């Protein structure tokens, strides 16, 4: 009786299988399949929302004013901004609602000479747990990166803890000290450095000058770097002061040219960005051409930010805000200039939410022409 039942079940299964085979493979009734046709349709690629070729900028308000030689800026998750002074090494907290400025403290060891001093600021990727603020700054002997605990509950002026240096021996000079630092989507710390006027450093992989660096939060070479024992991520840079990631986590950097071309570069690990062999779009084998370029009189790009499909660049000598709309790793349209000559030198630009930017002016750094209220932080609505 048991054998008869098993045999009957097997026969029934064979009939079902034969019936299925005679009518073709079953078609999934979901995305990418045409129901009832017996033929599949490839899934449509996701739609990429491109930015408009032409954008717009509206200055909504002045967030804060009367800042002196500001350079680095970092947005706090609890609200407000930290702003560093290049020349005296001090750090302020700025309330973005009221504009009130509160002294946080100073970074010890800052030595301001020429373009050096307290430069970039960045928050730890685990700031909520450790309250660490990172700073790139010039000392008497080098440029270095250190981290400090920021405790807003302590008295004003004493809210920064003792610095813990994580990277030393970045070359320093009267010019071209780089100085931008930022944590990427991979939670690694990136730093843009300059070649200090010594051009050969940019192509010397043993030097930290004229490079983009990538490191762990402790200052060690990050996994996946071109050289496992080095923090160098890309060589061939003259002076990098802007770093930003787009919506696909691709890295972009601004580049000061010498006499001819300033650059916006799409950065890939191990690629060589040309300086001093190439300036601008040279088409030379072995070197990466910029995605966009400007005459140096129109730009001198420092900080950059990505917002709503475009890279925005703050221009010092050019005294304007540049917009480069992107289609992947290419410019969708020609760069567009805004605010030309209206607010003087622009040092840093920071994404402030959908369709908003904060822009930091830089007229009190000895190269600008300060007006009453300089320097200031502006809030912009942008598209």
């Amino acid at each position: 009786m048991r054998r008869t039942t098993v045999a009957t079940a097997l026969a029934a299964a064979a009939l079902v299988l034969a019936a299925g085979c005679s009518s073709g493979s079953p078609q999934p009734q979901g995305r990418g399949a045409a129901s009832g046709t017996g033929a599949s349709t490839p899934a449509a690629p996701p739609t990429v929302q491109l930015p408009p070729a032409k954008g717009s900028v509206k200055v909504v308000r002045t967030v804060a004013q009367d800042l002196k030689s500001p350079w680095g800026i970092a947005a706090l998750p609890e609200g407000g901004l930290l702003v560093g002074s290049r020349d005296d090494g001090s750090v302020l907290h700025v309330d973005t609602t009221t504009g009130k400025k509160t002294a946080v403290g100073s970074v010890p060891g800052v030595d301001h000479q020429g373009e050096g001093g307290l430069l970039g600021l960045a928050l730890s990727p685990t700031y909520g747990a450790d309250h660490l603020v990172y700073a790139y700054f010039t000392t008497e002997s080098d440029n270095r990166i250190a981290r400090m605990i920021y405790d807003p509950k302590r008295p004003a002026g004493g809210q920064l803890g003792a610095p813990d240096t994580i990277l030393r021996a970045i070359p320093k000079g009267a010019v071209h000290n780089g100085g931008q630092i930022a944590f990427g989507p991979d939670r690694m710390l990136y730093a843009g450095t300059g070649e200090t006027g010594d051009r050969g450093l940019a192509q010397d992989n043993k030097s930290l000058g004229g490079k983009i660096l990538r490191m762990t939060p402790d200052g060690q070479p990050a996994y996946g770097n071109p050289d496992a024992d080095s923090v160098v991520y890309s060589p061939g840079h003259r002076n990098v002061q802007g770093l930003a990631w787009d919506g696909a986590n691709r890295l972009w950097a601004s580049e000061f040219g010498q006499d001819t071309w300033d650059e916006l570069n799409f950065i890939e690990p191990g690629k060589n960005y040309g300086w001093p062999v190439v300036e601008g779009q040279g088409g030379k084998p072995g070197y990466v051409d910029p995605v966009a370029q400007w005459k140096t009189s129109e730009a001198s790009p420092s900080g950059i930010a990505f917002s709503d499909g475009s890279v925005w660049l703050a221009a010092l000598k050019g005294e304007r805000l540049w917009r480069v709309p992107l289609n992947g790793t290419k410019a969708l349209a020609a760069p567009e200039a805004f605010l030309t000559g209206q607010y003087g030198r622009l040092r840093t630009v920071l994404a402030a939410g959908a369709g908003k930017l904060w822009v930091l002016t830089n007229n009190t750094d000895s190269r600008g022409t300060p007006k009453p209220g300089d320097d200031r932080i502006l809030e912009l609505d942008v598209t």
Side-chain angles (χ1 to χ4, degrees):
M1 187 71 171
R2 180 183 177 91
R3 290 180 180 177
T4 302
T5 303
V6 171
T8 302
L10 289 173
L15 288 172
V16 172
L17 179 61
C21 291
S22 66
S23 62
S25 301
Q27 298 301 314
Q29 301 302 306
R31 183 176 178 181
S35 176
T37 65
S40 62
T41 302
T47 301
V48 177
Q49 185 67 42
L50 297 177
K54 296 292 184 181
S56 66
V57 169
K58 178 183 178 181
V59 178
V60 177
R61 64 189 178 107
T62 296
V63 176
Q65 59 185 14
D66 295 318
L67 302 168
K68 301 305 177 187
S69 63
W71 207 105
I73 184 170
L76 294 164
E78 64 266 29
L81 300 168
L82 294 181
V83 182
S85 170
R86 184 197 68 179
D87 294 358
D88 65 16
S90 64
V91 180
L92 295 175
H93 175 274
V94 174
D95 186 313
T96 54
T97 300
T98 65
K100 180 182 177 182
K101 303 185 294 291
T102 303
V104 168
S106 294
V107 179
V110 170
D111 182 44
H112 163 57
Q113 296 179 18
E115 295 176 359
L118 176 58
L119 304 176
L121 297 176
L123 302 184
S124 162
T126 53
Y127 173 84
D130 56 37
H131 278 254
L132 287 173
V133 176
Y134 287 69
Y136 182 118
F137 59 99
T138 312
T139 73
E140 291 184 353
S141 59
D142 62 2
N143 285 300
R144 62 184 60 174
I145 301 171
R147 58 189 178 186
M148 298 148 285
I149 293 176
Y150 166 54
D151 184 357
K153 296 179 181 179
R154 298 182 65 183
Q159 297 172 350
L160 285 181
D164 169 26
T165 299
I166 66 164
L167 186 68
R168 304 173 185 268
I170 303 170
K172 63 166 284 188
V175 295
H176 308 174
N177 288 287
Q180 189 60 263
I181 55 174
F183 279 94
D186 57 2
R187 301 165 76 88
M188 297 295 106
L189 179 62
Y190 292 73
T193 73
E195 35 79 302
T196 72
D198 182 351
R199 296 182 175 192
L201 297 183
Q203 294 295 331
D204 180 0
N205 275 339
K206 295 181 180 179
S207 172
L208 300 181
K211 308 293 190 303
I212 292 176
L213 312 178
R214 176 174 177 263
M215 69 201 80
T216 68
D218 295 325
Q220 299 301 308
Y223 177 79
N225 279 4
D227 183 341
D229 296 324
S230 173
V231 296
V232 172
Y233 193 65
S234 63
H237 299 286
R238 185 170 180 265
N239 193 21
V240 174
Q241 292 186 357
L243 299 169
W245 287 263
D246 64 19
N249 295 339
R250 293 175 291 233
L251 176 60
W252 298 81
S254 60
E255 181 83 31
F256 284 86
Q258 182 174 344
D259 300 315
T260 310
W261 297 113
D262 293 325
E263 303 175 358
L264 173 66
N265 286 301
F266 165 55
I267 304 298
E268 296 181 274
K271 296 293 182 71
N272 193 312
Y273 289 82
W275 180 255
V277 182
V278 184
E279 181 182 356
Q281 296 172 348
K284 194 173 181 65
Y287 302 101
V288 179
D289 278 349
V291 173
Q293 64 180 24
W294 298 263
K295 295 179 180 178
T296 55
S297 60
E298 297 176 343
S300 295
S302 187
I304 69 174
F306 178 81
S307 179
D308 298 298
S310 298
V311 173
W312 299 81
L313 300 90
L316 291 165
K317 189 174 182 180
E319 297 189 351
R320 66 199 75 180
L321 180 68
W322 284 103
R323 174 185 181 265
V324 181
L326 299 177
N327 182 358
T329 60
K330 305 294 182 182
L332 182 146
E336 225 180 338
F338 297 94
L339 309 181
T340 303
Q342 295 182 40
Y343 294 94
R345 293 159 57 85
L346 305 183
R347 168 63 70 183
T348 307
V349 56
L350 189 66
K356 287 190 177 295
L357 297 174
W358 285 311
V359 171
L360 182 62
T361 71
N362 200 206
N363 298 308
T364 59
D365 70 342
S366 79
R367 293 188 177 182
T369 304
K371 297 178 181 178
D374 278 337
D375 274 304
R376 61 195 79 211
I377 299 171
L378 307 172
E379 182 178 309
L380 278 54
D381 283 345
V382 301
T383 58

